[in-house]
Amino acid sequence: MDTVQPLYDFAPLARMMLLGAVIALGPLAWVWLRNRQAPAAQRLRVLTLLTLFLTFDLVLFGAFTRLTDSGLGCPDWPGCYGSASPLGAHADISAAQEAMPTGPVTHSKAWVEMIHRYLATAVGVLILVLASVSWVERKRLSVSHWWPLVTLFWVCLQGAFGALTVTMKLFPAIVTLHLLGGLVLLALLRAQAAAYALAAPGSPGPVHLHNGTRFALGLVYALLWLQIALGGWVSTNYAVLACSEFPTCQGGWWPDMDLRHGFALWRELGMAHTGDALPFAALTAIHYVHRLSAYAVFIALGWLAWRLWAARETRPTARWIVALALWQFLSGLSNVVLDWPLVAAVAHTGGAAALVIVLTGAIFGTRTAYDTVSASKFNISRLT
């Protein structure tokens, strides 16, 4: 008699945590060897930047996992059919693949999903080390130890959303939150890296911006997050090809759209909140709202780059914003007119992640004159 695999099977948890620690040993050893004579703050800064880089890679691999339909390659969590690797689950995966050769569980999809989990565990170990060392060295650091502690809390929350992504069968709202959580993790690490850079000996301090430019930076940053949420909703609902032409959609400038069903958040994949199949007009609405919003964000990014170009210190940031805005336009256009190629889809996610990193660095690396006075008055300069 066949047995039902439980959604949560913690038997392989210890082995997976050990594997994550082993993977993390490589970056940790590199940081220690290259900076063994440096003060603790310098080692933590380098480790933060390295963790940021690896987290960026993790976000890209997470996109690859989703886009190759590998999110359910192992139908339980944290392991695969109660094993720490697809090798131990070979018989179960083979049986599932034989029953449904093009289904969600195959050997290749299981490996993609588990590699994503291994990388996520390794990043979690690195963040745990950052938090632990920052706490131990907190009296000798000029940067608040709360940054890595908040980051540690967030990566644990992100792991919980990763588990729900599997156990709730790619529930669109959960998958979108998991994507957003990964980008929030990038923002937290970038903010922490900026704090270490500003506190480093010889640092010129934050770049001072006019109040209007600082406001523009905050406004565009908020618009970026809204656009990323809309893009995640497109991807998790598989609505990319609802409009297969540009700049029009389905032969017109205003296609038939069902906003009510398209943006009903709490529903299963492919289903309306009433339990019926999601109408195609709902997918069209999801796609086209993201496209219309993209026009506004593209203009806003250009406006922000123009304002940042006025100051010599922020011209590199302006160049990055222009380059990444063009990258997003071209990769997004490629998704539509080239039938959603995997490379373009992953590149589009990477561009969004890079924009989060660049704008977060700008937010935490700049101040207005009023910010400086407030930081001194309320003694919060160590946090920024």
Side-chain angles (χ1 to χ4, degrees):
M1 180 178 179
D2 294 335
T3 59
V4 177
Q5 176 64 35
L7 293 177
Y8 295 98
D9 188 341
F10 294 98
L13 181 60
R15 285 172 289 169
M16 291 191 60
M17 292 177 65
L18 179 61
L19 181 59
V22 170
I23 296 173
L25 280 177
L28 289 172
W30 182 85
V31 170
W32 185 84
L33 290 172
R34 291 290 299 270
N35 300 273
R36 57 184 179 276
Q37 303 298 329
Q42 172 66 15
R43 292 197 298 272
L44 285 171
R45 177 174 177 269
V46 173
L47 182 56
T48 299
L49 289 171
L50 182 58
T51 305
L52 173 64
F53 172 76
L54 294 175
T55 303
F56 179 81
D57 294 337
L58 177 62
V59 168
L60 291 187
F61 198 84
F64 177 80
T65 302
R66 182 177 70 257
L67 294 165
T68 54
D69 293 323
S70 301
L72 297 179
C74 292
D76 55 320
W77 190 90
C80 191
Y81 287 99
S83 177
S85 83
L87 293 176
H90 186 274
D92 295 292
I93 296 172
S94 296
Q97 184 171 333
E98 183 178 353
M100 193 180 298
T102 59
V105 180
T106 65
H107 287 286
S108 59
K109 291 179 180 180
W111 274 110
V112 170
E113 171 64 9
M114 289 307 296
I115 290 173
H116 177 58
R117 295 184 195 181
Y118 299 151
L119 293 175
T121 305
V123 167
V125 171
L126 293 175
I127 293 174
L128 176 61
V129 172
L130 277 171
S132 301
V133 176
S134 297
W135 178 262
V136 172
E137 300 283 350
R138 64 188 183 279
K139 294 183 179 179
R140 291 188 287 178
L141 295 176
S142 56
V143 174
S144 173
H145 61 278
W146 287 108
W147 274 122
L149 289 175
V150 171
T151 306
L152 177 62
F153 166 79
W154 191 263
V155 79
C156 293
L157 184 64
Q158 180 69 350
F161 275 111
L164 290 174
T165 295
V166 176
T167 58
M168 294 185 69
K169 309 300 182 186
L170 305 182
F171 202 85
I174 297 298
V175 179
T176 303
L177 287 173
H178 189 50
L179 169 63
L180 288 171
L183 298 180
V184 170
L185 187 58
L186 283 176
L188 287 169
L189 289 166
R190 181 63 184 92
Q192 187 176 330
Y196 279 116
L198 292 176
S203 170
V207 175
H208 291 273
L209 297 178
H210 294 296
N211 289 340
T213 303
R214 179 73 173 177
F215 172 79
L217 180 58
L219 176 62
V220 175
Y221 193 60
L223 288 175
L224 175 65
W225 282 104
L226 174 62
Q227 179 65 3
I228 289 172
L230 289 172
W233 195 240
V234 171
S235 180
T236 56
N237 282 280
Y238 297 90
V240 175
L241 299 180
C243 297
S244 57
E245 57 192 59
F246 182 87
T248 58
C249 175
Q250 299 172 15
W253 291 100
W254 195 258
D256 181 33
M257 293 184 285
D258 186 344
L259 295 169
R260 183 171 68 91
H261 284 103
F263 289 93
L265 300 182
W266 201 253
R267 55 176 175 76
E268 296 182 15
L269 179 61
M271 305 296 291
H273 66 280
T274 58
D276 300 321
L278 192 67
F280 186 72
L283 296 177
T284 304
I286 293 170
H287 178 111
Y288 208 62
V289 168
H290 175 61
R291 186 186 292 190
L292 293 175
S293 177
Y295 298 148
V297 174
F298 188 81
I299 294 171
L301 287 169
W303 171 59
L304 176 61
W306 173 72
R307 295 198 64 114
L308 292 174
W309 188 260
R312 184 185 302 273
E313 297 88 345
T314 53
R315 285 185 181 179
T317 301
R319 292 191 189 98
W320 272 110
I321 290 173
V322 171
L324 289 171
L326 291 173
W327 177 276
Q328 286 302 86
F329 173 76
L330 292 174
S331 59
L333 180 61
S334 298
N335 282 327
V336 173
V337 301
L338 298 180
D339 200 26
W340 202 16
L342 179 60
V343 172
V346 174
H348 200 56
T349 300
L355 276 170
V356 167
I357 292 172
V358 170
L359 291 188
T360 301
I363 288 281
F364 285 89
T366 61
R367 287 185 188 157
T368 65
Y370 293 111
D371 292 331
T372 304
V373 172
S374 298
S376 175
K377 181 177 179 180
F378 294 104
N379 194 27
I380 62 171
S381 60
R382 285 179 55 177
L383 294 176
T384 56

